[in-house]
Amino acid sequence: MKPTLVLVHGFPLDGSMWDEVRVALDPSIPVMAPSLPGCDGGPVPPGEASLEAWAESLASFLPSSPVVMAGMSMGGYVALAFADRYPDRLAGLALVNTHPFADSEEQKAGRAALAARIREEGPSAAAEAMLGRLFRSPHGEQNARAVREAALRVGPEGLRYALAAMAARPDRSAVWSGWTKPCAVIHGAADAIVPADKARGYAATNPSGVYTELGGVGHHSPAEAPEAVAAALADLWRISAAR
Ligand code: MLT
């Protein structure tokens, strides 16, 4: 049976951030791009905000046969939490414009400050905080509109949950470096949130990780270079499906 390619979204976005990649993908590849609970118009998971709760909810509705999972930025943190907890449910793993490390204290404080702004000003605060860093400069109007609309769809509760869950995540560099199934890192060379040298550094800690760097592309590579991202994901999917 063909593995499903599961695409996990970043912040402050939802599953629609993968629309252009889906169009560019070989149609014979089965694809799912779910919006995480709380980012989908429904409630956030009960209890403390955590990426593990999101990994658990993915495990509850993904196909039971192993999938190939690709996560962009926050989605990569979720994919690593899933790989940590459910390695047998994965046939392959792709990290897109992300990294396996925990937040610094400064980053945690920044997330708390943004959560407070969202409480006061609403979801547009998240879109405005991210816009200048998500894309290579200058970002197009279409990209800006997509991010603003996504943040509104996700809503304040989902956005604050995401910020708290990201701040609480542990370092998962050992999950990446110890991963023995097919894996790939796809990264924008002009990423303003996760610098490319950081991505090159962690990618190299797993000798089987295939590293693809996209020249002139920022943090949101699925929007800026959907064909190239789709091609790299299709390569990983084929290798994973053949094993
Ligand atoms: C994302 O794009 O999902 C976020 O930039 C991730 C983060 O803030 O660490």
Side-chain angles (χ1 to χ4, degrees):
M1 203 170 111
K2 290 181 184 178
T4 299
L5 176 61
V6 179
L7 305 172
V8 188
H9 63 84
F11 174 89
L13 307 168
D14 61 10
S16 69
M17 64 153 278
W18 295 103
D19 285 355
E20 289 170 76
V21 172
R22 295 184 74 160
V23 169
L25 272 168
D26 175 344
S28 70
I29 300 177
V31 184
M32 284 173 73
S35 296
L36 293 162
C39 303
D40 59 354
V44 297
E48 290 276 300
S50 76
L51 300 176
E52 292 72 24
W54 270 341
E56 273 170 34
S57 68
L58 284 174
S60 72
F61 68 80
L62 291 183
S64 54
S65 57
V67 301
V68 177
M69 188 175 285
M72 181 265 183
S73 202
M74 178 182 82
Y77 310 153
V78 175
L80 283 165
F82 191 93
D84 199 4
R85 215 161 251 228
Y86 307 103
D88 297 343
R89 303 272 308 263
L90 292 183
L93 173 67
L95 300 181
V96 182
N97 288 84
T98 189
H99 64 83
F101 310 111
D103 271 2
S104 64
E105 290 309 314
E106 191 185 343
Q107 285 166 323
K108 288 182 190 177
R111 295 197 197 281
L114 181 54
R117 273 188 63 199
I118 293 168
R119 194 181 294 280
E120 278 165 27
E121 299 166 31
S124 61
E128 298 316 316
M130 295 299 291
L131 262 179
R133 302 187 306 147
L134 273 177
F135 301 101
R136 64 173 172 251
S137 185
H139 59 69
E141 254 324 293
Q142 194 188 331
N143 282 337
R145 193 166 51 246
V147 171
R148 290 191 179 109
E149 289 174 0
L152 285 177
R153 276 194 305 276
V154 173
E157 210 195 343
L159 293 168
R160 289 201 310 268
Y161 186 94
L163 288 163
M166 287 193 280
R169 76 189 190 281
D171 179 286
R172 287 205 162 90
S173 36
V175 176
W176 166 256
S177 61
W179 188 251
T180 53
K181 292 185 218 177
C183 55
V185 169
I186 304 166
H187 211 85
D191 189 329
I193 293 180
V194 185
D197 57 355
K198 185 170 179 172
R200 277 181 229 128
Y202 89 76
T205 65
N206 184 322
S208 58
V210 177
Y211 181 70
T212 303
E213 191 167 298
L214 307 170
V217 172
H219 186 65
H220 197 336
S221 61
E224 290 187 329
E227 288 87 5
V229 171
L233 290 176
D235 284 348
L236 174 73
W237 182 85
R238 282 190 199 99
I239 295 165
S240 308
R243 298 240 310 192

